[in-house]
Amino acid sequence: MLKLVCPVYNEDANIVPLLESLARSVHTPFELVVVYDRDDDTTLPPLRAAAARMPFAIRELRNAEGRGVLGAVKTGLRDDSGDAALVIMADLADDLRIVDEMYALVSSGRFDLVAGSRYMRGGRQIGGPWFKGLLSRTAGLSLYLLTGLPTRDATNNFKMYARPVLDAIEIESKAGFEIAMEITVKAYALGFRITEIPSTWTDRVAGESRFLLAKWLPHYLRWYWYALAHAGAGRRALILKERT
Ligand SMILES: Nc1nc2c(ncn2[C@@H]2O[C@H](COP(=O)(O)OP(=O)(O)O)[C@@H](O)[C@H]2O)c(=O)[nH]1
Ligand SMILES: [Mg+2]
């Protein structure tokens, strides 16, 4: 079954609209795993109040990997339920209408990683800091052109991972959302099959972003260089797979 991993930090204004959006948009059976840091997180009371009327299972997990969004995503991905996992944001950033298509691509066995892509035709990025957007787009498009990585959006966290990808990769990220880039470039180097479909990312309306651009940038760069260094490995692995 599909597992949706949703890190939350005081998303009391967004969590119920998120649940309603999931109920409306996703028809594939799934379990929602909500990962919070503190027992007094303001997301939890409205989440618990609304859970019973949702047509899908909801599980709460406490971040077991040190506070912060990196630990939350790792906790959710590591928990070994589900044959595929998709990371979604609680702040209504992601376009949930493509989840069914993502899961169809993974469960057909044709792809191991399906990226929501803001930087391909049909994809969009709405709002957010312009410099963050520029860096992310530049990183994504350049890796696509230079390394053959089969997505133009390496940094987006809205990606679905088949279980074997998560089992094969030891997470080494240390800061925050660079974890998606790590998994993507390592999956490519290991020869996993990657594809992308257009998605729209929208900046939050309620609450505040906790994205730490200056602090996390060097950590993103680490995976950027890794991708350049392993570009040949990714291509070779793909060619071998196509031959067999
Ligand atoms: N558990 C946990 N979740 C977090 C933390 N910081 C952010 N999040 C969640 O991560 C998602 C995206 O966060 P946000 O700060 O909006 O990042 P941005 O969209 O890149 O600006 C939201 O679901 C947040 O609630 C944190 O420290 N701990
Ligand atoms: Mg956000």
Side-chain angles (χ1 to χ4, degrees):
M1 186 156 82
L2 174 62
K3 168 172 73 177
L4 304 189
V5 174
C6 183
V8 297
Y9 188 91
N10 292 345
E11 298 286 5
D12 49 293
N14 290 316
I15 192 71
V16 175
L18 177 82
L19 299 179
E20 287 166 350
S21 173
L22 285 168
R24 256 195 326 271
S25 309
V26 184
H27 305 103
T28 305
F30 68 92
E31 177 191 36
L32 176 67
V33 176
V34 175
V35 194
Y36 62 95
D37 288 7
R38 296 158 46 113
D39 292 325
D40 61 358
D41 191 285
T42 62
T43 318
L44 300 175
L47 171 70
R48 286 168 188 162
R53 57 185 168 85
M54 291 301 146
F56 47 84
I58 301 176
R59 190 151 53 95
E60 293 169 12
L61 273 184
R62 192 159 198 261
N63 182 344
E65 308 266 351
R67 280 181 192 166
V69 75
L70 172 66
V73 172
K74 273 164 72 175
T75 299
L77 292 179
R78 220 166 246 180
D79 161 279
D80 39 50
S81 64
D83 59 0
L86 169 68
V87 177
I88 62 167
M89 301 306 163
D91 60 351
L92 310 169
D94 305 308
D95 183 0
L96 300 170
R97 289 170 306 182
I98 67 168
V99 174
D100 290 337
E101 192 185 344
M102 291 171 120
Y103 189 67
L105 288 167
V106 168
S107 59
S108 70
R110 284 168 56 216
F111 296 101
D112 309 301
L113 191 162
V114 180
S117 180
R118 299 164 291 186
Y119 309 134
M120 69 189 291
R121 187 186 297 267
R124 282 183 77 192
Q125 184 163 29
I126 301 171
W130 71 271
F131 191 58
K132 177 188 175 199
L134 177 72
L135 287 175
S136 157
R137 180 185 296 267
T138 306
L141 293 176
S142 61
L143 283 185
Y144 173 77
L145 293 170
L146 295 172
T147 72
L149 184 75
T151 172
R152 297 164 182 82
D153 197 345
T155 58
N156 202 353
N157 274 263
F158 190 46
K159 289 190 170 82
M160 191 178 290
Y161 311 109
R163 173 54 47 194
V165 173
L166 299 174
D167 289 343
I169 290 171
E170 172 133 28
I171 302 293
E172 297 170 278
S173 285
K174 293 190 175 68
F177 283 124
E178 84 274 18
I179 184 173
M181 192 172 182
E182 175 186 4
I183 299 173
T184 305
V185 300
K186 286 184 171 176
Y188 182 50
L190 289 169
F192 285 109
R193 294 152 308 164
I194 299 173
T195 191
E196 61 176 355
I197 52 180
S199 80
T200 299
W201 182 95
T202 313
D203 195 27
R204 61 167 70 240
V205 175
E208 265 169 41
S209 169
R210 291 168 45 81
F211 194 96
L212 302 170
L213 183 58
K215 192 170 163 208
W216 292 352
L217 190 55
H219 298 270
Y220 274 93
L221 281 174
R222 174 181 181 194
W223 301 120
Y224 189 83
W225 301 132
Y226 180 101
L228 292 182
H230 291 78
R235 283 222 176 90
R236 276 194 298 280
L238 273 185
I239 292 165
L240 279 176
K241 283 219 163 141
E242 272 160 21
R243 281 209 195 117
T244 52

